[in-house]
Amino acid sequence: MKTVKKISILFFLLSILSVLSISCSKEEPTFDEENLFEDLDDKDDDVVGFYDFSNVDSNEIININTGSSLGLFYNFWSTRPMINQSRFNGASFRNSLTNIKPYVKSYNLVRMMGGRTDNQNTFYKGVDGSGKIITDFSGLISSLRNFRLTGFKPRIVLDNVPWEMSLPKVDDTYGNSKPPNDYSIWRQYVNAYLQALVDEFGMSEVKTWRFRIATEPNYTPHHWRGTKEEFFKHYDITVDEVLKVIPEAIVGPGNLLTEGAATFTTEIIDHCATGTNYATGQIGTKMDFFALSYYEKLDKKEVRFENVVKPYRDKLNSYNQFSNIPFDIQEFGILRGDNGVRGLSLSDATELGASWYATIADLAYQYNITEIYDWGQELESNNLPTGRRNVTEMFLKLEGGIRMYAEDKFSGFSGVIPVSKDGKLYIFVYNHNTTRNSTNSKTIYPKFEGSQISNTTKWKMNEWTIDKENSILMHELYKDIKNTGVSEKTDGRIYGNRVSDRFEDGWINVLNGNLSKYEELSKLSLTVKDSLIGKFEESLMLKVDLAPHSVKLIELIPQ
């Protein structure tokens, strides 16, 4: 048959080009020539597919039920932390954020109450002769006014305690980590601080903001020099005073460190559920959200997320009042690179960072993580998208869709998130390995069945790819910088999103001199466009080849 011949030729060419195709094994695909185009209105010569996958290893198949629902593909990626909110006072900084607005909705503003090593946010001015505090919140209000010009939503972190409230002064890593000496003074300060916000921005607005009490309070002494019980007291009293000003305030404890240095773990959940409140004497404390920090270290060659998150999810689920509150990762990133070096980068800007982020996203949905705060996914200086930002670009295409059930027998860090949205089917596919030089590529076979497949025989397919050859600028940038002779910091972090971690100042001239090339390399690559595929019998199966660090998004549009 002429039509079958055209199908076979096109399928062969697509395989050579390593684009997505429908296949079964090294053997010739088999099909019933008489019934090949059954139920099609027109026998389209451009359709590829309709092959029998009966010989595919069942361990490589992912069964996707298109009639199932696991909930929304919700947005978890749109809040970023900011240590210095006064940066928003500059118009140039505010304008530099324009290109990230599709990806960001809120900023979590840290160390907003004073006690900083840079001596900013000195709103507390001491106590008068009658014991009343003296404050000047003009700097706070002006910085938040300018912040709001961006259109982002503020989230306020109520730390650190001002230096003068915790004398004698001990200058820890992140400023003052001591509790106040006199909680009557602290209460006055919290009350005045919140009242200043309400007076300026209105109760109806401020009650929609989040208020987090402290940062990593189980990281002693760097963030908290007190004991566990002293933090529980600090939390209870601070919440009590916040609620006096804003009765409907959204409050929660500081994000817990999840490294070995942590001095306590799930005990704060127990305290808020069943402990005696230090402020009210009643049982329990209001906790509207719960948060952790999560950082990966590439030199450890692991993904710790599931082991870290599960005990906290289980503990929250053990209390009815906390089982459905937002559970966030409020600090997040790759803390160290392959060589064990930190640097200022908190990300990996290559395909490895992209496949790692895809792995985390899948686990986040499994454990109902509400949000993951991100320090940034763009390249230093020019805000070009790195690999992880291109993963977020894929997320935007899926946001608001319905996640479907998928069953597989995979080991390691490979998987799929199938999504139904606006009458289309999507499959987010990833393969991650914990070493950069891994050669562990993978072929998988997503198999769609169920109600959304049964009435359609022909589909148009688009595919976007992130791997070493697609959607990544870092390898070319590093090569060009080295070829130009810019000095390399051999003890610096490699492939972070801050290139200055690895190279001396001349790197920026290389970037700017070849900017159009890097802009093109950094775009999310459309690797298959408008390819027509079809189902075999009552299912639609795809053959997906994945590089050792790769992410693909496949879109199927019914025809």
Side-chain angles (χ1 to χ4, degrees), residues 217-228:
N218 61 342
Y219 190 17
T220 302
H222 303 281
H223 273 301
W224 183 252
R225 190 168 274 275
T227 65
K228 173 181 65 177

Side-chain angles (χ1 to χ4, degrees), residues 13-61:
L13 291 173
L14 287 171
S15 299
I16 292 176
L17 295 171
S18 297
V19 298
L20 198 63
S21 58
I22 299 180
S23 176
C24 63
S25 68
K26 293 181 180 179
E27 299 177 4
E28 277 293 320
T30 62
F31 42 78
D32 181 348
E33 294 188 4
E34 253 185 347
N35 297 319
L36 185 61
F37 291 100
E38 186 178 5
D39 297 328
L40 281 181
D41 292 333
D42 58 336
K43 297 179 173 60
D44 197 323
D45 286 358
D46 295 325
V47 176
V48 297
F50 303 97
Y51 292 102
D52 180 359
F53 286 88
S54 59
N55 293 326
V56 174
D57 184 345
S58 62
N59 291 320
E60 296 177 338
I61 295 176

